[in-house]
Amino acid sequence: MPNRRTFLKLSAASAAAPLLNWSPAASSASPARRPVVVSTWNFGEAANEAAWTVLQQDDGYVLDAIEKGVGRIEADPEIHTVGRGGRPDASGTVTLDACVMDEHGRYGAVAALERILHPAAVARRVKDDSPHSLLVADGALRFARAQGFEPQDLLTDEMDAAWREWKEKNPDAVPDPPEANVEAQDTTSRGGAENHDTIGMLALDAQGRLGGACTTSGTAWKQPGRVGDSPLVGSGLFVDPDVGAACATGWGEAIMRVAGSHVVVEAMRHGKDPEAACREAAERVQKRSDSDNVQAGFLALRADGQAGAYGVRSGFDMAIYDEAEGNRLVSAPYLVPSAGAE
Ligand code: SD4
């Protein structure tokens, strides 16, 4: 039996030792899988495709790839949950949340940003060209303009009409989460006409640099001023270059309650593989949520290029692109079937 002295010694040794079963040093025996990019939902395949044009170059930089990848989705007016063409808030205004983290674990973000097509690019500038990490609303817009981003109208005719229809049915409504948005959430079920949501992207470039981004127009018809998990460090995104990266999509209020992406990275630090780490975050969301219809999905990319995903409910997909197997969509395992799913 260890006496108190040996116990203290053991504790000190285990505190000093890396908590990871996997470690960058150990993985040098089996070379890291890179470059690799993963992103959320089925539109992730198009985003990965764009990111890959940068990642396939030996010196392609991870955040250039990610900015290009998520930028494709931000600019697509047919996607109603990100950037131009996103559903507006309850007052009919499109407001955007985004963040990025780089290979040094540096973070930049914008929230409640209006009229700027590429909020993730602005978030990157906040990280690189300001002394701050998170800028919101008018201040974020002012910063974007100073950086040369041109304001433009992001509300498409189609989303304007959808908002008017919603407003007619809900003349006094300020959405009361989560029920008011369950309908919007359910449109994300796999195979549905609206099978897309927040774009979160994680990548490892050929040089082994790890990064991530998350960009969204948030939940449909949200209360003006509402900020979701996506721009919040540790909730929508977390990158620890020594361990791995994670991002989240789904009901932001539930994700931020548990700092979901941070949970994923810490679970990897303590030895869980990427999928098991995402499952841990999904379980925490489910345990702490007030509704039994909350969806949240997590992606993880470990620093050696191993990826995983997990959803609270069925219907969440991970798009993954690597050299060995190309670009493909993988259904994430889940804790419970979505309502109406077989
Ligand atoms: C938010 N997490 O604003 C985002 C939206 C989303 O599935 O991903 N919905 O809460």
PDB file of all heavy atoms in Angstrom, residues 8 25 31 39 41 51 56 59 85 95 114 137 143 161 167 189 209 211 236 239 254 259 263 268 271 316 325 338:
ATOM      1  N   LEU A   8       1.825  11.038  -2.420  1.00  0.00           N
ATOM      2  CA  LEU A   8       2.084  12.410  -2.886  1.00  0.00           C
ATOM      3  C   LEU A   8       3.004  12.403  -4.096  1.00  0.00           C
ATOM      4  O   LEU A   8       2.806  13.133  -5.045  1.00  0.00           O
ATOM      5  CB  LEU A   8       2.701  13.249  -1.759  1.00  0.00           C
ATOM      6  CG  LEU A   8       1.724  13.694  -0.671  1.00  0.00           C
ATOM      7  CD1 LEU A   8       2.465  14.429   0.430  1.00  0.00           C
ATOM      8  CD2 LEU A   8       0.625  14.581  -1.250  1.00  0.00           C
ATOM      9  N   ALA A  25       4.075  13.521 -29.191  1.00  0.00           N
ATOM     10  CA  ALA A  25       5.319  12.765 -29.281  1.00  0.00           C
ATOM     11  C   ALA A  25       5.017  11.314 -29.639  1.00  0.00           C
ATOM     12  O   ALA A  25       5.622  10.739 -30.543  1.00  0.00           O
ATOM     13  CB  ALA A  25       6.053  12.834 -27.953  1.00  0.00           C
ATOM     14  N   PRO A  31       2.453   8.648 -38.429  1.00  0.00           N
ATOM     15  CA  PRO A  31       2.415  10.046 -38.829  1.00  0.00           C
ATOM     16  C   PRO A  31       1.009  10.627 -38.780  1.00  0.00           C
ATOM     17  O   PRO A  31       0.034   9.927 -39.016  1.00  0.00           O
ATOM     18  CB  PRO A  31       2.936  10.017 -40.271  1.00  0.00           C
ATOM     19  CG  PRO A  31       3.041   8.594 -40.663  1.00  0.00           C
ATOM     20  CD  PRO A  31       2.880   7.733 -39.460  1.00  0.00           C
ATOM     21  N   SER A  39     -16.216  19.837 -41.177  1.00  0.00           N
ATOM     22  CA  SER A  39     -17.175  20.910 -40.933  1.00  0.00           C
ATOM     23  C   SER A  39     -18.575  20.347 -40.742  1.00  0.00           C
ATOM     24  O   SER A  39     -18.831  19.172 -41.008  1.00  0.00           O
ATOM     25  CB  SER A  39     -17.130  21.966 -42.037  1.00  0.00           C
ATOM     26  OG  SER A  39     -17.243  21.365 -43.271  1.00  0.00           O
ATOM     27  N   TRP A  41     -22.686  19.773 -40.876  1.00  0.00           N
ATOM     28  CA  TRP A  41     -23.857  19.641 -41.756  1.00  0.00           C
ATOM     29  C   TRP A  41     -23.468  19.328 -43.189  1.00  0.00           C
ATOM     30  O   TRP A  41     -22.291  19.303 -43.545  1.00  0.00           O
ATOM     31  CB  TRP A  41     -24.742  20.901 -41.696  1.00  0.00           C
ATOM     32  CG  TRP A  41     -25.185  21.263 -40.304  1.00  0.00           C
ATOM     33  CD1 TRP A  41     -24.748  22.320 -39.555  1.00  0.00           C
ATOM     34  CD2 TRP A  41     -26.138  20.568 -39.476  1.00  0.00           C
ATOM     35  NE1 TRP A  41     -25.374  22.335 -38.340  1.00  0.00           N
ATOM     36  CE2 TRP A  41     -26.230  21.287 -38.256  1.00  0.00           C
ATOM     37  CE3 TRP A  41     -26.923  19.442 -39.665  1.00  0.00           C
ATOM     38  CZ2 TRP A  41     -27.079  20.892 -37.233  1.00  0.00           C
ATOM     39  CZ3 TRP A  41     -27.770  19.060 -38.632  1.00  0.00           C
ATOM     40  CH2 TRP A  41     -27.847  19.780 -37.446  1.00  0.00           C
ATOM     41  N   ALA A  51     -12.055  25.045 -48.811  1.00  0.00           N
ATOM     42  CA  ALA A  51     -10.901  25.065 -47.899  1.00  0.00           C
ATOM     43  C   ALA A  51      -9.751  24.232 -48.460  1.00  0.00           C
ATOM     44  O   ALA A  51      -8.573  24.575 -48.298  1.00  0.00           O
ATOM     45  CB  ALA A  51     -11.318  24.525 -46.530  1.00  0.00           C
ATOM     46  N   GLN A  56      -4.398  21.940 -49.748  1.00  0.00           N
ATOM     47  CA  GLN A  56      -3.615  21.010 -50.570  1.00  0.00           C
ATOM     48  C   GLN A  56      -2.235  21.573 -50.927  1.00  0.00           C
ATOM     49  O   GLN A  56      -1.372  20.829 -51.391  1.00  0.00           O
ATOM     50  CB  GLN A  56      -4.389  20.628 -51.829  1.00  0.00           C
ATOM     51  CG  GLN A  56      -4.535  21.751 -52.823  1.00  0.00           C
ATOM     52  CD  GLN A  56      -5.424  21.345 -54.002  1.00  0.00           C
ATOM     53  OE1 GLN A  56      -5.837  20.198 -54.110  1.00  0.00           O
ATOM     54  NE2 GLN A  56      -5.699  22.277 -54.889  1.00  0.00           N
ATOM     55  N   ASP A  59       2.320  24.913 -48.270  1.00  0.00           N
ATOM     56  CA  ASP A  59       2.431  26.027 -47.335  1.00  0.00           C
ATOM     57  C   ASP A  59       1.076  26.702 -47.102  1.00  0.00           C
ATOM     58  O   ASP A  59       1.017  27.796 -46.576  1.00  0.00           O
ATOM     59  CB  ASP A  59       3.462  27.049 -47.842  1.00  0.00           C
ATOM     60  CG  ASP A  59       3.078  27.589 -49.214  1.00  0.00           C
ATOM     61  OD1 ASP A  59       2.151  27.013 -49.833  1.00  0.00           O
ATOM     62  OD2 ASP A  59       3.687  28.569 -49.655  1.00  0.00           O
ATOM     63  N   GLY A  85     -28.698  35.776 -46.758  1.00  0.00           N
ATOM     64  CA  GLY A  85     -29.768  34.782 -46.914  1.00  0.00           C
ATOM     65  C   GLY A  85     -30.141  34.130 -45.591  1.00  0.00           C
ATOM     66  O   GLY A  85     -31.022  33.279 -45.551  1.00  0.00           O
ATOM     67  N   THR A  95     -28.590  39.453 -38.172  1.00  0.00           N
ATOM     68  CA  THR A  95     -27.412  39.738 -37.342  1.00  0.00           C
ATOM     69  C   THR A  95     -26.552  38.481 -37.258  1.00  0.00           C
ATOM     70  O   THR A  95     -27.076  37.369 -37.168  1.00  0.00           O
ATOM     71  CB  THR A  95     -27.795  40.206 -35.918  1.00  0.00           C
ATOM     72  OG1 THR A  95     -28.433  39.140 -35.227  1.00  0.00           O
ATOM     73  CG2 THR A  95     -28.701  41.423 -35.957  1.00  0.00           C
ATOM     74  N   GLU A 114     -24.142  43.442 -38.074  1.00  0.00           N
ATOM     75  CA  GLU A 114     -25.083  43.605 -39.185  1.00  0.00           C
ATOM     76  C   GLU A 114     -24.350  43.982 -40.467  1.00  0.00           C
ATOM     77  O   GLU A 114     -23.319  44.669 -40.410  1.00  0.00           O
ATOM     78  CB  GLU A 114     -26.094  44.724 -38.874  1.00  0.00           C
ATOM     79  CG  GLU A 114     -27.020  44.382 -37.720  1.00  0.00           C
ATOM     80  CD  GLU A 114     -27.950  45.544 -37.386  1.00  0.00           C
ATOM     81  OE1 GLU A 114     -28.282  46.342 -38.287  1.00  0.00           O
ATOM     82  OE2 GLU A 114     -28.329  45.650 -36.204  1.00  0.00           O
ATOM     83  N   ALA A 137     -22.044  44.261 -32.179  1.00  0.00           N
ATOM     84  CA  ALA A 137     -23.017  45.221 -32.716  1.00  0.00           C
ATOM     85  C   ALA A 137     -22.349  46.402 -33.442  1.00  0.00           C
ATOM     86  O   ALA A 137     -21.504  46.194 -34.308  1.00  0.00           O
ATOM     87  CB  ALA A 137     -23.951  45.668 -31.595  1.00  0.00           C
ATOM     88  N   PHE A 143     -15.620  48.690 -36.625  1.00  0.00           N
ATOM     89  CA  PHE A 143     -14.306  48.075 -36.813  1.00  0.00           C
ATOM     90  C   PHE A 143     -14.204  47.460 -38.214  1.00  0.00           C
ATOM     91  O   PHE A 143     -13.206  47.647 -38.919  1.00  0.00           O
ATOM     92  CB  PHE A 143     -14.073  46.999 -35.738  1.00  0.00           C
ATOM     93  CG  PHE A 143     -12.826  46.195 -35.939  1.00  0.00           C
ATOM     94  CD1 PHE A 143     -11.581  46.702 -35.566  1.00  0.00           C
ATOM     95  CD2 PHE A 143     -12.885  44.923 -36.505  1.00  0.00           C
ATOM     96  CE1 PHE A 143     -10.414  45.949 -35.758  1.00  0.00           C
ATOM     97  CE2 PHE A 143     -11.731  44.173 -36.704  1.00  0.00           C
ATOM     98  CZ  PHE A 143     -10.496  44.689 -36.330  1.00  0.00           C
ATOM     99  N   ALA A 161     -39.739  37.816 -46.971  1.00  0.00           N
ATOM    100  CA  ALA A 161     -41.104  37.289 -47.061  1.00  0.00           C
ATOM    101  C   ALA A 161     -41.367  36.296 -45.936  1.00  0.00           C
ATOM    102  O   ALA A 161     -42.438  36.309 -45.315  1.00  0.00           O
ATOM    103  CB  ALA A 161     -41.312  36.626 -48.425  1.00  0.00           C
ATOM    104  N   LYS A 167     -44.070  37.095 -38.786  1.00  0.00           N
ATOM    105  CA  LYS A 167     -44.483  38.263 -37.992  1.00  0.00           C
ATOM    106  C   LYS A 167     -46.007  38.389 -37.951  1.00  0.00           C
ATOM    107  O   LYS A 167     -46.583  38.744 -36.916  1.00  0.00           O
ATOM    108  CB  LYS A 167     -43.846  39.510 -38.619  1.00  0.00           C
ATOM    109  CG  LYS A 167     -44.038  40.784 -37.856  1.00  0.00           C
ATOM    110  CD  LYS A 167     -43.184  40.815 -36.609  1.00  0.00           C
ATOM    111  CE  LYS A 167     -43.490  42.065 -35.806  1.00  0.00           C
ATOM    112  NZ  LYS A 167     -43.186  41.886 -34.393  1.00  0.00           N
ATOM    113  N   SER A 189     -33.266  18.502 -39.672  1.00  0.00           N
ATOM    114  CA  SER A 189     -33.136  17.054 -39.615  1.00  0.00           C
ATOM    115  C   SER A 189     -32.621  16.530 -40.950  1.00  0.00           C
ATOM    116  O   SER A 189     -32.861  17.103 -41.996  1.00  0.00           O
ATOM    117  CB  SER A 189     -34.468  16.408 -39.269  1.00  0.00           C
ATOM    118  OG  SER A 189     -35.396  16.728 -40.261  1.00  0.00           O
ATOM    119  N   ARG A 209      -0.544  22.993 -38.479  1.00  0.00           N
ATOM    120  CA  ARG A 209      -1.180  24.095 -37.745  1.00  0.00           C
ATOM    121  C   ARG A 209      -2.679  23.840 -37.660  1.00  0.00           C
ATOM    122  O   ARG A 209      -3.319  23.538 -38.672  1.00  0.00           O
ATOM    123  CB  ARG A 209      -0.893  25.432 -38.445  1.00  0.00           C
ATOM    124  CG  ARG A 209       0.573  25.821 -38.362  1.00  0.00           C
ATOM    125  CD  ARG A 209       0.914  26.967 -39.264  1.00  0.00           C
ATOM    126  NE  ARG A 209       0.700  26.654 -40.679  1.00  0.00           N
ATOM    127  CZ  ARG A 209       1.331  27.264 -41.687  1.00  0.00           C
ATOM    128  NH1 ARG A 209       2.190  28.240 -41.437  1.00  0.00           N
ATOM    129  NH2 ARG A 209       1.081  26.918 -42.939  1.00  0.00           N
ATOM    130  N   GLY A 211      -6.599  25.012 -36.531  1.00  0.00           N
ATOM    131  CA  GLY A 211      -7.422  26.204 -36.331  1.00  0.00           C
ATOM    132  C   GLY A 211      -8.887  25.873 -36.512  1.00  0.00           C
ATOM    133  O   GLY A 211      -9.253  24.751 -36.872  1.00  0.00           O
ATOM    134  N   GLY A 236     -19.041  27.805 -28.845  1.00  0.00           N
ATOM    135  CA  GLY A 236     -19.143  27.422 -30.254  1.00  0.00           C
ATOM    136  C   GLY A 236     -17.848  26.877 -30.816  1.00  0.00           C
ATOM    137  O   GLY A 236     -17.857  26.137 -31.813  1.00  0.00           O
ATOM    138  N   VAL A 239      -9.967  25.897 -29.524  1.00  0.00           N
ATOM    139  CA  VAL A 239      -8.763  25.297 -30.108  1.00  0.00           C
ATOM    140  C   VAL A 239      -7.654  25.366 -29.076  1.00  0.00           C
ATOM    141  O   VAL A 239      -7.295  26.453 -28.614  1.00  0.00           O
ATOM    142  CB  VAL A 239      -8.317  26.050 -31.389  1.00  0.00           C
ATOM    143  CG1 VAL A 239      -7.022  25.443 -31.940  1.00  0.00           C
ATOM    144  CG2 VAL A 239      -9.411  26.027 -32.453  1.00  0.00           C
ATOM    145  N   ALA A 254     -28.266  26.117 -24.867  1.00  0.00           N
ATOM    146  CA  ALA A 254     -27.904  24.873 -24.173  1.00  0.00           C
ATOM    147  C   ALA A 254     -26.410  24.603 -24.286  1.00  0.00           C
ATOM    148  O   ALA A 254     -25.791  24.074 -23.350  1.00  0.00           O
ATOM    149  CB  ALA A 254     -28.705  23.708 -24.765  1.00  0.00           C
ATOM    150  N   ALA A 259     -20.455  25.236 -21.841  1.00  0.00           N
ATOM    151  CA  ALA A 259     -19.205  25.548 -22.557  1.00  0.00           C
ATOM    152  C   ALA A 259     -18.783  24.335 -23.394  1.00  0.00           C
ATOM    153  O   ALA A 259     -17.677  23.795 -23.257  1.00  0.00           O
ATOM    154  CB  ALA A 259     -18.105  25.962 -21.583  1.00  0.00           C
ATOM    155  N   VAL A 263     -15.553  21.550 -23.286  1.00  0.00           N
ATOM    156  CA  VAL A 263     -15.716  20.202 -22.727  1.00  0.00           C
ATOM    157  C   VAL A 263     -15.063  19.175 -23.649  1.00  0.00           C
ATOM    158  O   VAL A 263     -14.343  18.278 -23.196  1.00  0.00           O
ATOM    159  CB  VAL A 263     -17.219  19.868 -22.538  1.00  0.00           C
ATOM    160  CG1 VAL A 263     -17.423  18.382 -22.256  1.00  0.00           C
ATOM    161  CG2 VAL A 263     -17.820  20.714 -21.416  1.00  0.00           C
ATOM    162  N   MET A 268     -10.646  15.350 -24.606  1.00  0.00           N
ATOM    163  CA  MET A 268      -9.533  14.789 -25.396  1.00  0.00           C
ATOM    164  C   MET A 268      -8.227  14.894 -24.604  1.00  0.00           C
ATOM    165  O   MET A 268      -7.407  13.982 -24.624  1.00  0.00           O
ATOM    166  CB  MET A 268      -9.407  15.506 -26.741  1.00  0.00           C
ATOM    167  CG  MET A 268     -10.523  15.159 -27.715  1.00  0.00           C
ATOM    168  SD  MET A 268     -10.195  15.672 -29.413  1.00  0.00           S
ATOM    169  CE  MET A 268     -10.409  17.440 -29.326  1.00  0.00           C
ATOM    170  N   GLY A 271      -7.709  12.091 -22.491  1.00  0.00           N
ATOM    171  CA  GLY A 271      -7.514  10.781 -23.098  1.00  0.00           C
ATOM    172  C   GLY A 271      -8.661  10.232 -23.913  1.00  0.00           C
ATOM    173  O   GLY A 271      -8.527   9.179 -24.530  1.00  0.00           O
ATOM    174  N   PHE A 316     -27.490  14.908 -37.274  1.00  0.00           N
ATOM    175  CA  PHE A 316     -26.300  15.756 -37.385  1.00  0.00           C
ATOM    176  C   PHE A 316     -25.259  15.048 -38.258  1.00  0.00           C
ATOM    177  O   PHE A 316     -25.055  13.843 -38.130  1.00  0.00           O
ATOM    178  CB  PHE A 316     -25.733  16.030 -35.987  1.00  0.00           C
ATOM    179  CG  PHE A 316     -24.471  16.847 -36.001  1.00  0.00           C
ATOM    180  CD1 PHE A 316     -24.382  18.019 -36.744  1.00  0.00           C
ATOM    181  CD2 PHE A 316     -23.352  16.439 -35.283  1.00  0.00           C
ATOM    182  CE1 PHE A 316     -23.210  18.765 -36.766  1.00  0.00           C
ATOM    183  CE2 PHE A 316     -22.183  17.182 -35.285  1.00  0.00           C
ATOM    184  CZ  PHE A 316     -22.115  18.340 -36.031  1.00  0.00           C
ATOM    185  N   GLU A 325      -9.206   9.651 -48.304  1.00  0.00           N
ATOM    186  CA  GLU A 325     -10.570   9.260 -48.686  1.00  0.00           C
ATOM    187  C   GLU A 325     -11.384  10.357 -49.346  1.00  0.00           C
ATOM    188  O   GLU A 325     -12.554  10.163 -49.652  1.00  0.00           O
ATOM    189  CB  GLU A 325     -11.309   8.742 -47.448  1.00  0.00           C
ATOM    190  CG  GLU A 325     -10.715   7.444 -46.916  1.00  0.00           C
ATOM    191  CD  GLU A 325     -11.444   6.961 -45.673  1.00  0.00           C
ATOM    192  OE1 GLU A 325     -12.612   6.564 -45.796  1.00  0.00           O
ATOM    193  OE2 GLU A 325     -10.838   7.009 -44.596  1.00  0.00           O
ATOM    194  N   SER A 338     -34.183  11.900 -33.192  1.00  0.00           N
ATOM    195  CA  SER A 338     -34.991  13.117 -33.292  1.00  0.00           C
ATOM    196  C   SER A 338     -36.455  12.749 -33.383  1.00  0.00           C
ATOM    197  O   SER A 338     -36.793  11.666 -33.869  1.00  0.00           O
ATOM    198  CB  SER A 338     -34.607  13.884 -34.572  1.00  0.00           C
ATOM    199  OG  SER A 338     -33.318  14.371 -34.463  1.00  0.00           O
TER     200      SER A 338
END
